[in-house]
Amino acid sequence: MSTLQHPAAGPTGPATVTEATTTQRDPRDRASRASRSARTRKPVDGRKVKRSGLLTAVMVVFVVYSFAPLFYLLVNSTKTQASLLSTFGLWFGGEFTLWQNIVDTLTYNDGIFVQWLGNTLLYVVVGAGGATLLATIAGYGMAKFQFPGRRAVFAVVLGAIAVPGTALAVPTFLLFSQAGLTNTPWAIILPSLISPFGMYLIWTYAVDAIPAELLEAARMDGAGEFRIFFTIALRLLAPGVVTVLLFAVVATWNNYFLPLIMLSDPKWYPLTVGLNQWNAQATGSGAEPIYNLVVTGSLLTIIPIVVAFLFLQRFWQSGLAAGSVKA
Protein backbone atom coordinates (compact mmCIF):
# COMPACT_ATOMS: atom_id res chain seq x y z
CA MET A 1 0.00 0.00 0.00
CA SER A 2 0.95 3.61 -0.42
CA THR A 3 2.56 5.49 2.42
CA LEU A 4 -0.25 8.06 2.39
CA GLN A 5 -2.81 5.42 3.46
CA HIS A 6 -1.04 4.51 6.71
CA PRO A 7 -0.11 6.59 9.75
CA ALA A 8 3.49 7.46 10.24
CA ALA A 9 5.63 4.92 12.07
CA GLY A 10 6.99 7.55 14.40
CA PRO A 11 6.82 11.19 15.27
CA THR A 12 8.97 12.08 12.28
CA GLY A 13 7.19 9.93 9.70
CA PRO A 14 5.19 11.29 6.75
CA ALA A 15 1.68 12.65 7.40
CA THR A 16 -1.46 10.72 6.48
CA VAL A 17 -4.10 11.97 4.09
CA THR A 18 -6.33 13.03 7.01
CA GLU A 19 -3.55 14.92 8.73
CA ALA A 20 -2.52 16.61 5.51
CA THR A 21 -6.08 17.67 4.82
CA THR A 22 -6.55 18.95 8.38
CA THR A 23 -3.29 20.87 8.15
CA GLN A 24 -4.42 22.58 4.95
CA ARG A 25 -7.80 23.70 6.43
CA ASP A 26 -8.53 27.29 7.24
CA PRO A 27 -7.57 28.08 10.85
CA ARG A 28 -10.87 29.95 11.19
CA ASP A 29 -12.72 26.65 10.62
CA ARG A 30 -10.87 25.03 13.52
CA ALA A 31 -11.60 28.03 15.74
CA SER A 32 -15.30 27.79 14.83
CA ARG A 33 -15.43 24.08 15.73
CA ALA A 34 -13.67 24.75 19.02
CA SER A 35 -16.15 27.51 19.83
CA ARG A 36 -19.10 25.19 19.09
CA SER A 37 -17.69 22.45 21.32
CA ALA A 38 -17.19 24.98 24.12
CA ARG A 39 -20.81 26.11 23.88
CA THR A 40 -22.14 22.54 23.77
CA ARG A 41 -20.58 20.35 26.42
CA LYS A 42 -21.38 16.71 26.92
CA PRO A 43 -21.95 15.57 30.49
CA VAL A 44 -21.15 12.07 31.69
CA ASP A 45 -24.46 10.65 30.43
CA GLY A 46 -23.76 11.86 26.87
CA ARG A 47 -26.53 14.43 26.60
CA LYS A 48 -25.79 17.86 25.17
CA VAL A 49 -26.22 20.87 27.43
CA LYS A 50 -27.23 24.01 25.55
CA ARG A 51 -26.39 27.40 26.98
CA SER A 52 -28.39 30.57 26.36
CA GLY A 53 -26.92 33.96 27.08
CA LEU A 54 -30.36 35.60 27.11
CA LEU A 55 -31.78 33.17 29.68
CA THR A 56 -28.68 33.56 31.82
CA ALA A 57 -29.06 37.34 31.78
CA VAL A 58 -32.76 37.05 32.70
CA MET A 59 -31.94 34.74 35.60
CA VAL A 60 -29.23 37.09 36.85
CA VAL A 61 -31.70 40.00 36.82
CA PHE A 62 -34.28 37.86 38.62
CA VAL A 63 -31.78 36.81 41.30
CA VAL A 64 -30.65 40.40 41.86
CA TYR A 65 -34.25 41.59 42.04
CA SER A 66 -35.11 38.85 44.56
CA PHE A 67 -32.14 39.29 46.85
CA ALA A 68 -31.83 43.08 46.77
CA PRO A 69 -34.42 43.63 49.56
CA LEU A 70 -32.76 40.99 51.73
CA PHE A 71 -29.38 42.57 51.14
CA TYR A 72 -30.83 45.97 52.03
CA LEU A 73 -32.16 44.62 55.35
CA LEU A 74 -28.88 42.91 56.17
CA VAL A 75 -26.77 45.98 55.38
CA ASN A 76 -28.94 48.52 57.17
CA SER A 77 -29.37 46.34 60.24
CA THR A 78 -25.71 47.03 60.96
CA LYS A 79 -26.15 50.81 61.13
CA THR A 80 -27.15 53.22 63.83
CA GLN A 81 -30.15 55.51 63.50
CA ALA A 82 -27.93 58.39 62.37
CA SER A 83 -25.85 56.43 59.85
CA LEU A 84 -28.97 54.78 58.47
CA LEU A 85 -30.19 58.16 57.24
CA SER A 86 -26.82 59.56 56.17
CA THR A 87 -25.13 56.67 54.29
CA PHE A 88 -25.82 54.80 51.06
CA GLY A 89 -28.62 52.29 51.58
CA LEU A 90 -27.08 49.39 49.68
CA TRP A 91 -23.69 49.34 51.36
CA PHE A 92 -22.19 49.35 54.82
CA GLY A 93 -21.28 52.61 56.47
CA GLY A 94 -20.57 54.04 59.86
CA GLU A 95 -20.27 51.97 63.01
CA PHE A 96 -21.12 48.24 62.84
CA THR A 97 -23.96 47.85 65.37
CA LEU A 98 -25.80 44.71 64.27
CA TRP A 99 -25.61 42.95 67.64
CA GLN A 100 -26.55 46.09 69.54
CA ASN A 101 -29.51 46.64 67.22
CA ILE A 102 -30.69 43.06 67.82
CA VAL A 103 -30.46 43.53 71.59
CA ASP A 104 -32.28 46.86 71.40
CA THR A 105 -35.00 45.36 69.21
CA LEU A 106 -35.62 42.49 71.62
CA THR A 107 -35.62 44.72 74.71
CA TYR A 108 -37.32 47.88 73.44
CA ASN A 109 -40.53 48.79 75.30
CA ASP A 110 -40.15 45.95 77.82
CA GLY A 111 -39.53 43.33 75.13
CA ILE A 112 -42.77 43.85 73.23
CA PHE A 113 -41.11 42.49 70.06
CA VAL A 114 -40.67 39.09 71.73
CA GLN A 115 -44.35 39.09 72.65
CA TRP A 116 -45.31 39.93 69.07
CA LEU A 117 -43.10 37.09 67.89
CA GLY A 118 -44.86 34.70 70.28
CA ASN A 119 -48.26 35.89 69.04
CA THR A 120 -47.22 35.31 65.44
CA LEU A 121 -45.98 31.81 66.24
CA LEU A 122 -49.29 31.08 67.98
CA TYR A 123 -51.30 32.22 64.97
CA VAL A 124 -49.08 30.23 62.61
CA VAL A 125 -49.00 26.98 64.57
CA VAL A 126 -52.72 26.88 65.37
CA GLY A 127 -54.09 28.73 62.35
CA ALA A 128 -51.84 27.52 59.54
CA GLY A 129 -51.46 24.05 61.04
CA GLY A 130 -55.21 23.68 61.43
CA ALA A 131 -55.82 25.01 57.94
CA THR A 132 -53.42 22.45 56.48
CA LEU A 133 -55.04 19.58 58.38
CA LEU A 134 -58.58 20.58 57.40
CA ALA A 135 -57.59 21.18 53.77
CA THR A 136 -55.88 17.78 53.61
CA ILE A 137 -58.85 15.90 55.05
CA ALA A 138 -61.38 17.74 52.88
CA GLY A 139 -59.30 17.48 49.70
CA TYR A 140 -58.71 13.76 50.21
CA GLY A 141 -62.40 13.17 50.78
CA MET A 142 -63.36 15.12 47.68
CA ALA A 143 -60.86 13.22 45.56
CA LYS A 144 -61.57 9.67 46.71
CA PHE A 145 -65.26 9.60 47.72
CA GLN A 146 -68.38 9.99 45.61
CA PHE A 147 -71.40 11.69 47.18
CA PRO A 148 -74.39 13.82 46.10
CA GLY A 149 -73.59 17.51 45.61
CA ARG A 150 -69.93 16.95 44.80
CA ARG A 151 -70.08 19.23 41.77
CA ALA A 152 -71.75 21.97 43.81
CA VAL A 153 -68.97 21.77 46.40
CA PHE A 154 -66.41 22.02 43.62
CA ALA A 155 -68.09 25.20 42.32
CA VAL A 156 -68.21 26.70 45.82
CA VAL A 157 -64.50 26.00 46.39
CA LEU A 158 -63.53 27.61 43.08
CA GLY A 159 -65.70 30.62 43.89
CA ALA A 160 -64.06 30.96 47.30
CA ILE A 161 -60.61 30.91 45.70
CA ALA A 162 -61.61 33.79 43.41
CA VAL A 163 -62.66 36.03 46.32
CA PRO A 164 -59.69 38.02 47.76
CA GLY A 165 -59.19 37.87 51.50
CA THR A 166 -59.27 41.64 51.92
CA ALA A 167 -62.83 41.70 50.56
CA LEU A 168 -63.93 39.44 53.41
CA ALA A 169 -62.09 41.30 56.16
CA VAL A 170 -64.83 43.84 56.95
CA PRO A 171 -67.72 41.29 56.94
CA THR A 172 -65.58 39.03 59.13
CA PHE A 173 -64.96 41.89 61.54
CA LEU A 174 -68.69 42.63 61.80
CA LEU A 175 -69.44 38.95 62.41
CA PHE A 176 -66.77 38.57 65.07
CA SER A 177 -67.80 41.85 66.66
CA GLN A 178 -71.34 40.51 67.13
CA ALA A 179 -69.88 37.33 68.64
CA GLY A 180 -67.61 39.29 71.00
CA LEU A 181 -64.41 37.76 69.61
CA THR A 182 -62.64 40.90 68.41
CA ASN A 183 -59.39 41.85 70.14
CA THR A 184 -58.77 38.18 70.98
CA PRO A 185 -56.48 35.59 69.35
CA TRP A 186 -59.55 33.76 68.01
CA ALA A 187 -60.23 36.68 65.70
CA ILE A 188 -57.02 35.77 63.84
CA ILE A 189 -56.98 31.99 64.30
CA LEU A 190 -60.53 31.12 63.20
CA PRO A 191 -60.40 32.89 59.78
CA SER A 192 -56.98 31.36 59.18
CA LEU A 193 -58.40 27.84 59.45
CA ILE A 194 -60.20 28.17 56.12
CA SER A 195 -58.02 27.58 53.06
CA PRO A 196 -60.03 26.97 49.86
CA PHE A 197 -56.90 27.03 47.72
CA GLY A 198 -55.22 24.48 49.98
CA MET A 199 -58.23 22.19 49.76
CA TYR A 200 -58.30 22.48 45.98
CA LEU A 201 -54.57 21.79 45.76
CA ILE A 202 -54.83 18.63 47.88
CA TRP A 203 -57.90 17.60 45.92
CA THR A 204 -56.15 17.75 42.56
CA TYR A 205 -52.96 16.18 43.93
CA ALA A 206 -54.74 13.26 45.64
CA VAL A 207 -56.51 12.20 42.43
CA ASP A 208 -53.27 10.82 40.94
CA ALA A 209 -51.04 10.47 44.00
CA ILE A 210 -53.21 7.82 45.73
CA PRO A 211 -54.11 4.78 43.58
CA ALA A 212 -57.68 3.58 44.07
CA GLU A 213 -56.43 -0.03 43.98
CA LEU A 214 -54.29 0.64 47.05
CA LEU A 215 -57.27 1.93 49.01
CA GLU A 216 -59.41 -1.03 47.97
CA ALA A 217 -56.69 -3.46 49.05
CA ALA A 218 -56.49 -1.77 52.44
CA ARG A 219 -60.26 -1.96 52.88
CA MET A 220 -60.25 -5.65 51.95
CA ASP A 221 -57.62 -6.21 54.64
CA GLY A 222 -60.02 -4.73 57.19
CA ALA A 223 -58.51 -1.26 57.64
CA GLY A 224 -60.90 1.54 58.55
CA GLU A 225 -61.09 4.84 56.72
CA PHE A 226 -59.26 6.82 59.42
CA ARG A 227 -56.48 4.25 59.55
CA ILE A 228 -56.18 4.29 55.76
CA PHE A 229 -55.97 8.07 55.77
CA PHE A 230 -53.37 8.46 58.52
CA THR A 231 -51.17 5.45 57.65
CA ILE A 232 -51.36 5.32 53.84
CA ALA A 233 -52.89 8.40 52.24
CA LEU A 234 -51.14 10.98 54.40
CA ARG A 235 -47.71 9.60 53.50
CA LEU A 236 -48.48 9.64 49.79
CA LEU A 237 -49.79 13.19 50.09
CA ALA A 238 -46.66 14.48 51.87
CA PRO A 239 -45.40 16.78 49.04
CA GLY A 240 -48.85 18.31 48.58
CA VAL A 241 -49.38 18.70 52.33
CA VAL A 242 -46.03 20.44 52.71
CA THR A 243 -46.88 22.80 49.85
CA VAL A 244 -50.21 23.73 51.44
CA LEU A 245 -48.51 24.08 54.84
CA LEU A 246 -45.90 26.49 53.51
CA PHE A 247 -48.52 28.58 51.70
CA ALA A 248 -50.60 28.74 54.88
CA VAL A 249 -47.59 29.58 57.05
CA VAL A 250 -46.47 32.40 54.76
CA ALA A 251 -50.01 33.80 54.46
CA THR A 252 -50.53 33.76 58.23
CA TRP A 253 -47.05 35.06 59.01
CA ASN A 254 -47.46 38.00 56.61
CA ASN A 255 -51.11 38.65 57.49
CA TYR A 256 -51.53 42.37 58.12
CA PHE A 257 -54.95 43.74 57.23
CA LEU A 258 -57.03 41.27 59.28
CA PRO A 259 -55.08 41.77 62.54
CA LEU A 260 -55.08 45.52 61.92
CA ILE A 261 -58.87 45.74 62.02
CA MET A 262 -59.46 42.93 64.52
CA LEU A 263 -56.97 43.87 67.25
CA SER A 264 -56.70 47.07 69.27
CA ASP A 265 -54.57 45.82 72.17
CA PRO A 266 -50.83 45.85 71.27
CA LYS A 267 -50.22 42.76 73.41
CA TRP A 268 -52.05 40.64 70.77
CA TYR A 269 -50.38 42.22 67.74
CA PRO A 270 -48.46 39.99 65.30
CA LEU A 271 -45.09 41.14 64.01
CA THR A 272 -46.51 42.78 60.89
CA VAL A 273 -48.80 45.15 62.77
CA GLY A 274 -46.29 45.72 65.58
CA LEU A 275 -43.46 46.74 63.26
CA ASN A 276 -45.81 49.09 61.42
CA GLN A 277 -46.66 50.68 64.78
CA TRP A 278 -42.95 51.24 65.42
CA ASN A 279 -42.60 52.76 61.98
CA ALA A 280 -45.49 55.14 62.71
CA GLN A 281 -43.63 56.55 65.71
CA ALA A 282 -41.59 58.70 63.31
CA THR A 283 -44.62 60.87 62.54
CA GLY A 284 -46.67 63.18 64.72
CA SER A 285 -45.92 65.83 67.32
CA GLY A 286 -44.05 63.52 69.67
CA ALA A 287 -42.10 61.74 66.93
CA GLU A 288 -39.61 59.11 68.08
CA PRO A 289 -38.10 57.51 64.98
CA ILE A 290 -36.53 54.09 65.51
CA TYR A 291 -35.91 53.12 61.91
CA ASN A 292 -32.86 51.07 62.83
CA LEU A 293 -35.02 48.88 65.10
CA VAL A 294 -37.71 48.58 62.43
CA VAL A 295 -35.16 47.37 59.87
CA THR A 296 -33.54 44.98 62.35
CA GLY A 297 -36.94 43.67 63.40
CA SER A 298 -37.85 43.08 59.76
CA LEU A 299 -34.65 41.09 59.32
CA LEU A 300 -35.44 38.97 62.36
CA THR A 301 -38.99 38.48 61.06
CA ILE A 302 -37.97 36.85 57.76
CA ILE A 303 -35.46 34.42 59.29
CA PRO A 304 -38.08 31.86 60.45
CA ILE A 305 -39.71 31.85 57.00
CA VAL A 306 -36.37 31.21 55.30
CA VAL A 307 -35.56 28.41 57.76
CA ALA A 308 -38.99 26.83 57.23
CA PHE A 309 -38.58 26.91 53.45
CA LEU A 310 -35.11 25.34 53.59
CA PHE A 311 -36.36 22.64 55.93
CA LEU A 312 -39.50 21.77 53.94
CA GLN A 313 -38.06 21.87 50.42
CA ARG A 314 -36.72 18.31 50.71
CA PHE A 315 -40.31 17.03 50.69
CA TRP A 316 -40.87 18.75 47.35
CA GLN A 317 -37.71 17.24 45.91
CA SER A 318 -38.81 13.77 47.00
CA GLY A 319 -42.16 14.16 45.25
CA LEU A 320 -41.10 15.81 41.99
CA ALA A 321 -40.70 12.52 40.10
CA ALA A 322 -43.70 10.76 41.65
CA GLY A 323 -45.64 9.00 38.88
CA SER A 324 -43.24 10.07 36.12
CA VAL A 325 -41.95 6.54 35.41
CA LYS A 326 -44.20 3.69 34.37
CA ALA A 327 -43.70 0.40 36.19
Side-chain angles (χ1 to χ4, degrees):
M1 291 187 179
S2 173
T3 307
L4 294 178
Q5 293 176 340
H6 291 277
T12 59
T16 62
V17 174
T18 304
E19 294 173 347
T21 306
T22 305
T23 306
Q24 295 174 359
R25 284 180 177 174
D26 190 350
R28 289 177 297 179
D29 182 45
R30 286 183 293 170
S32 176
R33 288 189 293 111
S35 176
R36 287 197 301 269
S37 66
R39 289 195 304 266
T40 306
R41 298 181 180 179
K42 292 185 178 180
V44 179
D45 57 2
R47 295 178 299 175
K48 294 182 178 180
V49 178
K50 296 183 178 180
R51 300 181 181 275
S52 172
L54 178 60
L55 292 180
T56 302
V58 171
M59 291 303 301
V60 169
V61 172
F62 180 77
V63 170
V64 172
Y65 177 81
S66 301
F67 282 92
L70 302 180
F71 183 72
Y72 174 87
L73 288 180
L74 180 61
V75 167
N76 290 277
S77 296
T78 65
K79 301 178 181 180
T80 62
Q81 174 70 20
S83 60
L84 179 63
L85 301 176
S86 60
T87 59
F88 180 58
L90 291 178
W91 197 245
F92 301 92
E95 183 182 358
F96 187 87
T97 58
L98 175 61
W99 310 119
Q100 185 60 43
N101 286 339
I102 294 176
V103 172
D104 293 342
T105 301
L106 298 178
T107 59
Y108 182 79
N109 196 11
D110 297 328
I112 191 66
F113 181 88
V114 179
Q115 188 170 0
W116 293 339
L117 177 60
N119 295 338
T120 305
L121 291 175
L122 173 65
Y123 302 149
V124 166
V125 171
V126 181
T132 303
L133 178 61
L134 294 177
T136 303
I137 295 175
Y140 168 76
M142 294 292 296
K144 295 303 176 181
F145 292 93
Q146 300 292 333
F147 55 89
R150 189 166 176 266
R151 292 181 178 272
V153 174
F154 178 75
V156 170
V157 170
L158 289 182
I161 295 175
V163 177
T166 53
L168 299 176
V170 174
T172 304
F173 169 77
L174 297 176
L175 178 64
F176 277 65
S177 178
Q178 292 293 328
L181 295 177
T182 55
N183 204 32
T184 65
W186 295 111
I188 310 302
I189 294 174
L190 292 180
S192 301
L193 294 175
I194 308 302
S195 178
F197 176 73
M199 175 186 172
Y200 177 76
L201 188 62
I202 293 294
W203 183 352
T204 56
Y205 185 79
V207 170
D208 296 323
I210 305 176
E213 297 80 5
L214 183 61
L215 301 181
E216 291 298 329
R219 294 187 182 106
M220 292 180 62
D221 290 339
E225 295 299 335
F226 284 99
R227 183 179 179 183
I228 293 174
F229 174 75
F230 286 103
T231 60
I232 299 176
L234 201 57
R235 296 184 180 182
L236 296 176
L237 291 174
V241 171
V242 170
T243 303
V244 173
L245 176 62
L246 190 58
F247 282 153
V249 167
V250 172
T252 307
W253 191 276
N254 296 331
N255 196 3
Y256 172 75
F257 189 61
L258 183 64
L260 180 65
I261 66 174
M262 287 288 188
L263 304 175
S264 58
D265 191 347
K267 72 176 184 179
W268 294 119
Y269 283 172
L271 287 170
T272 51
V273 179
L275 289 176
N276 183 69
Q277 187 187 56
W278 279 6
N279 189 53
Q281 292 183 195
T283 60
S285 56
E288 185 184 352
I290 48 172
Y291 291 128
N292 59 326
L293 301 189
V294 174
V295 173
T296 306
S298 301
L299 178 65
L300 297 177
T301 300
I302 66 173
I303 291 178
I305 294 296
V306 174
V307 172
F309 179 82
L310 295 177
F311 175 75
L312 296 176
Q313 68 171 346
R314 62 189 182 94
F315 293 95
W316 287 327
Q317 294 174 355
S318 64
L320 287 176
S324 59
V325 180
K326 295 182 64 176

